[in-house]
Amino acid sequence: MTSDRLSSTFAALADPTRRAILARLALGETSVTELAEPFDITLPAISKHLKVLERAGLITRGREAQWRPCRIEPGALKDVDAWLERYRRLWEERFDRLESYLEELQAKGKGKKRTRKA
Amino acid sequence: MTSDRLSSTFAALADPTRRAILARLALGETSVTELAEPFDITLPAISKHLKVLERAGLITRGREAQWRPCRIEPGALKDVDAWLERYRRLWEERFDRLESYLEELQAKGKGKKRTRKA
């Protein structure tokens, strides 16, 4: 059930370490060793996370012999953004409703003041 | 490692059936039976998916005795959108780079024509 691309992307993002790796790679490409430094986990564990991110198309790894730099691939995140697009109106509508409710309250407040004055 | 809220949301979205349920609920609230109709899976299987979505804060279920309508809760999706925000510039920059490269190519083309005319 999770063999489709979007599911792989979401599954890869469902881990704070993998999201932290992406946040680091958003600043620029880096080697695995450098990438592992701030994390309190082993190199094999980092490699496992990188494999998940690579399979989901979120990163690519260079083919250079000595160091294989990791790069973020924003395309898969753009797909998540496109998927979210249809739901954007839901929270925007909710905000609009809240806004008109507040305006209504404000108008009622003004109405009361006017009644008192008359 | 996946106990944080954003990880639960991403994990819940990593399944095409659960995303299809959300797409249906974006049209309006509905009962579980009605929700299950277009899917070729059992009611207990649907209930299991709903529990995952509910735990991730993506849906809520009414407390009415006879039918417990499911509603989409766009707040958790808004959090995903906020998380994506910092990566948006990456694909936008990539597009900008492509655009300026095309402009450069076009300018070179014009330059060549001018040289030929002179």
Side-chain angles (χ1 to χ4, degrees):
Chain A
M1 279 304 254
T2 56
S3 59
D4 66 300
R5 172 67 179 265
L6 204 50
S7 295
S8 308
T9 306
F10 280 128
L13 295 175
D15 182 280
T17 306
R18 287 198 289 270
R19 292 199 303 278
I21 289 173
L22 283 183
R24 168 60 193 87
L25 292 179
L27 305 174
E29 62 175 46
T30 180
S31 69
V32 179
T33 328
E34 206 183 322
L35 198 57
E37 264 170 29
F39 299 105
D40 194 23
I41 48 175
T42 61
L43 266 180
I46 284 283
S47 288
K48 218 170 158 185
H49 281 311
L50 291 177
K51 257 178 210 146
V52 177
L53 290 168
E54 201 177 3
R55 247 180 274 127
L58 285 159
I59 67 161
T60 49
R61 301 189 61 187
R63 297 286 156 216
E64 287 80 359
Q66 291 293 4
W67 72 301
R68 300 186 52 202
C70 303
R71 284 183 204 98
I72 191 165
E73 287 298 327
L77 291 173
K78 195 169 187 284
D79 292 345
V80 172
D81 190 61
W83 178 83
L84 267 181
E85 189 52 43
R86 74 177 97 174
Y87 299 98
R88 198 156 283 135
R89 64 166 184 84
L90 289 179
W91 68 75
E92 279 168 359
E93 271 170 19
R94 188 162 286 199
F95 182 77
D96 288 347
R97 273 204 302 277
L98 182 68
E99 204 173 38
S100 43
Y101 174 68
L102 291 175
E103 276 171 15
E104 207 178 296
L105 278 184
Q106 214 170 22
K108 269 184 191 165
K110 277 182 189 163
K112 270 185 189 166
K113 274 182 198 163
R114 230 173 276 141
T115 316
R116 264 179 222 155
K117 273 181 191 169
Chain B
M1 279 305 251
T2 55
S3 60
D4 65 302
R5 172 64 179 267
L6 205 49
S7 295
S8 309
T9 306
F10 280 128
L13 295 175
D15 182 281
T17 305
R18 288 198 287 271
R19 292 200 302 278
I21 289 174
L22 283 182
R24 169 60 192 85
L25 293 179
L27 305 173
E29 61 175 48
T30 179
S31 70
V32 179
T33 328
E34 207 183 321
L35 198 56
E37 263 170 31
F39 298 103
D40 195 22
I41 48 175
T42 61
L43 265 181
I46 283 283
S47 289
K48 219 169 155 184
H49 281 310
L50 291 177
K51 259 178 209 145
V52 177
L53 289 169
E54 202 177 2
R55 250 182 271 128
L58 285 159
I59 67 160
T60 49
R61 301 189 58 186
R63 298 287 157 213
E64 288 82 356
Q66 291 292 3
W67 73 301
R68 299 186 53 203
C70 303
R71 285 183 204 96
I72 192 166
E73 288 297 328
L77 292 173
K78 197 172 185 285
D79 292 344
V80 171
D81 190 60
W83 178 83
L84 266 182
E85 190 52 43
R86 75 179 96 174
Y87 299 98
R88 197 157 284 134
R89 63 167 184 84
L90 289 180
W91 66 76
E92 280 167 0
E93 271 170 17
R94 188 163 287 200
F95 182 76
D96 289 347
R97 272 205 302 278
L98 181 68
E99 204 173 36
S100 42
Y101 173 69
L102 290 176
E103 276 171 15
E104 206 179 299
L105 277 185
Q106 214 169 22
K108 270 187 194 164
K110 277 182 189 164
K112 269 186 191 164
K113 274 181 197 162
R114 231 173 277 141
T115 315
R116 263 179 223 154
K117 273 181 192 170

